[in-house]
Amino acid sequence: MRIHLATSVALTFLLLVVGCAFIPFSGGKLDGTVTPIPDTWANIAAVDIIQIETSPSEPYSVKLWVTIMDNVPYIHAGDNLATWVEHLQVNPELLLENDGALYELKAERVTSSDEFKRLGVIYNTKYGNYPRNPNIDEAYLFRLLPR
C-alpha cells in the first residue's frame, strides 16, 4: 500500500513538472543565438512566459511573466527580493530568451507610480490580475532596455 502511494505521488509530481510550461525553478546559462533587438516586441507580447539570465560570471536563469508597454518589455517580482532581482541590483545586464533568440538587455528599476499603474492595467489584461503589491516603493518592477 505504501509503495503504491509513493509511486502515485512521484508520478503525479513528474506529470506536473513535465506538463507545466511555467516551472519557477532556476537554472544556469541559457541556450540560444544572440539576436538584434527587434523593432517591435510583438513576438514577446504574444507569449506568457520568457526566460532571463542574470549574473554573467555565474549564469542564473529563471522563467518569468513579461508585459510589453510602449514597445518596452517589463518584468516584475512584486515585493519579493528574488535572487534574480539581487543580481540585477549588482549588474543590470541580462539576457532575455524566447524561442531560441537571446536579446542583450539591461534592466532599469521603475520608480514612477504612474508608470506602475499604467503597466498594472496591461498586466491585468494579459494575466487576469493586478500586481499584488501596488506600492512602487516596495515592488521590484523593471523595464528592459537595449544595452
Side-chain angles (χ1 to χ4, degrees):
M1 180 80 157
R2 279 183 154 185
I3 293 174
H4 293 300
L5 179 60
T7 302
S8 295
V9 169
L11 285 174
T12 300
F13 177 76
L14 182 62
L15 287 172
L16 287 172
V17 169
V18 171
C20 183
F22 181 70
I23 303 171
F25 304 123
S26 60
K29 188 166 180 59
L30 294 175
D31 291 324
T33 303
V34 174
T35 305
I37 303 301
D39 292 332
T40 176
W41 289 100
N43 65 325
I44 300 297
V47 299
D48 288 337
I49 299 164
I50 50 91
Q51 281 190 285
I52 64 163
E53 177 189 307
T54 61
S55 186
S57 61
E58 292 181 40
Y60 179 90
S61 61
V62 65
K63 293 181 180 184
L64 298 172
W65 286 357
V66 62
T67 309
I68 307 297
M69 182 172 74
D70 300 332
N71 200 37
V72 175
Y74 287 77
I75 53 177
H76 181 249
D79 58 3
N80 178 19
L81 186 58
T83 301
W84 63 267
V85 172
E86 291 175 337
H87 289 168
L88 292 178
Q89 290 175 329
V90 173
N91 179 352
E93 293 184 355
L94 63 89
L95 290 173
L96 183 150
E97 188 277 335
N98 182 59
D99 202 24
L102 297 172
Y103 303 102
E104 296 177 315
L105 301 169
K106 64 181 176 184
E108 187 175 89
R109 187 164 179 193
V110 173
T111 57
S112 163
S113 59
D114 289 338
E115 186 175 0
F116 188 40
K117 287 176 189 173
R118 285 182 51 230
L119 187 80
V121 173
I122 296 167
Y123 190 95
N124 181 49
T125 300
K126 184 171 185 177
Y127 295 109
N129 61 324
Y130 286 90
R132 289 184 186 155
N133 186 344
N135 185 343
I136 191 62
D137 295 327
E138 298 172 359
Y140 297 98
L141 172 65
F142 297 90
R143 74 179 71 82
L144 305 182
L145 304 171
R147 288 188 199 169

